[in-house]
Amino acid sequence: MSRPRIFLRPPLTDKELVESNGNAGNDAASSIDMDLEDTVADRERLRHSQEFHLPPIVKSRVDADIQQAHAFAITTALFAAVLISLAQLVEPVDQRTPAWRALRFFTYSSVVINLSGTTLALVLIKMCSEVQFKAHSMIIFDPSSLPARVAKEGIPREVLQNRYELLEKFGMPRGYRTLDAGASFWVLSGNLFTFVSVLMWIWLAGDTVISSVTTIVILFPIFGVAYAIFSTKD
């Protein structure tokens, strides 16, 4: 039975030892350099995020949307309060005619629509208020994002042409454009239902001459509000 052969590697020469140690040292140095570069880049992004402020054009857009949402919230809340008082006047009336039933429908629907509009306005305010924080996070975790590059490159022209895209580049959720566009329709619906409820109450509980004059007077604000809302939208 033959014995297994054992091959022994000859010891390394001094030159080979120096080259081996040199290669290992170069690899270690390269790894350390890469780690240092990553650390420096992380620290730079962290510093930049803490010193970052929204560009004036973005901040002005956010502030304008917050003020608009505040106005929506106040208006719808006041309308809801008025309609709750009207509902208390309508409910005791023992009238089963279609006109009084329609008045109850518009009154209750107006309360729900206006309260929902108030809630929607508060959601819009919250979304706008978080843009600054989300832009800070994008600088730290997404170096290729626009907030991380805006100091050196500026804002592209094609982004400036669409205010929704501009806000989304700085952290605004994509659902904001749908909520903002629907807010005008929601507020207009609340105003319309409110005016209809008041007009129906005037016609059912008031004098015919007074009701006719009041109807003419109220129609102008209705068309004015509708025109103002839709003419100011992008």
Side-chain angles (χ1 to χ4, degrees):
M1 182 176 182
S2 61
R3 296 181 179 180
R5 296 181 180 181
I6 300 176
F7 296 93
L8 298 178
R9 182 178 179 180
L12 297 176
T13 63
D14 294 340
K15 182 178 181 181
E16 291 176 341
L17 286 174
V18 171
E19 291 178 353
S20 176
N21 293 332
N23 293 333
N26 292 334
D27 294 340
S30 300
S31 177
I32 293 174
D33 291 340
M34 293 178 62
D35 292 339
L36 289 176
E37 291 177 358
D38 293 339
T39 303
V40 172
D42 292 340
R43 290 179 179 176
E44 180 65 21
R45 286 198 298 269
L46 182 60
R47 183 192 62 81
H48 180 43
S49 68
Q50 295 174 354
E51 299 175 353
F52 176 79
H53 296 283
L54 292 175
I57 187 172
V58 180
K59 189 177 186 305
S60 63
R61 183 68 260 175
V62 172
D63 292 341
D65 284 2
I66 290 177
Q67 293 178 3
Q68 174 183 273
H70 273 296
F72 284 172
I74 294 173
T75 303
T76 52
L78 290 175
F79 279 162
V82 171
L83 289 164
I84 290 175
S85 301
L86 179 60
Q88 294 175 350
L89 296 175
V90 173
E91 186 61 31
V93 179
D94 188 15
Q95 296 288 345
R96 302 298 179 181
T97 60
W100 282 98
R101 290 179 177 177
L103 175 58
R104 289 189 177 91
F105 166 76
F106 280 102
T107 302
Y108 301 149
S109 298
S110 299
V111 173
V112 174
I113 291 175
N114 283 289
L115 290 178
S116 300
T118 303
T119 305
L120 175 59
L122 296 178
V123 172
L124 294 177
I125 294 173
K126 182 178 183 298
M127 296 174 73
C128 291
S129 302
E130 292 179 347
V131 171
Q132 179 77 35
F133 174 76
K134 290 186 177 180
H136 289 177
S137 300
M138 294 174 69
I139 294 174
I140 298 175
F141 300 106
D142 188 5
S144 62
S145 63
L146 185 56
R149 300 181 288 107
V150 68
K152 297 180 180 179
E153 302 178 8
I155 301 177
R157 179 182 301 178
E158 59 273 11
V159 177
L160 294 173
Q161 296 176 351
N162 189 320
R163 69 184 184 95
Y164 292 117
E165 184 178 358
L166 175 64
L167 295 177
E168 289 170 3
K169 291 293 185 180
F170 285 85
M172 181 69 75
R174 292 188 61 84
Y176 176 79
R177 64 175 65 196
T178 303
L179 295 177
D180 183 61
S184 299
F185 175 78
W186 205 261
V187 172
L188 182 60
S189 300
N191 292 345
L192 181 61
F193 272 66
T194 300
F195 287 136
V196 171
S197 300
V198 173
L199 280 177
M200 292 187 66
W201 169 254
I202 293 174
W203 275 96
L204 292 174
D207 183 76
T208 303
V209 177
I210 297 177
S211 301
S212 301
V213 175
T214 306
T215 301
I216 297 174
V217 172
I218 290 180
L219 285 178
F220 287 102
I222 294 177
F223 289 111
V225 170
Y227 175 78
I229 290 177
F230 287 104
S231 62
T232 55
K233 300 302 291 183
D234 294 344

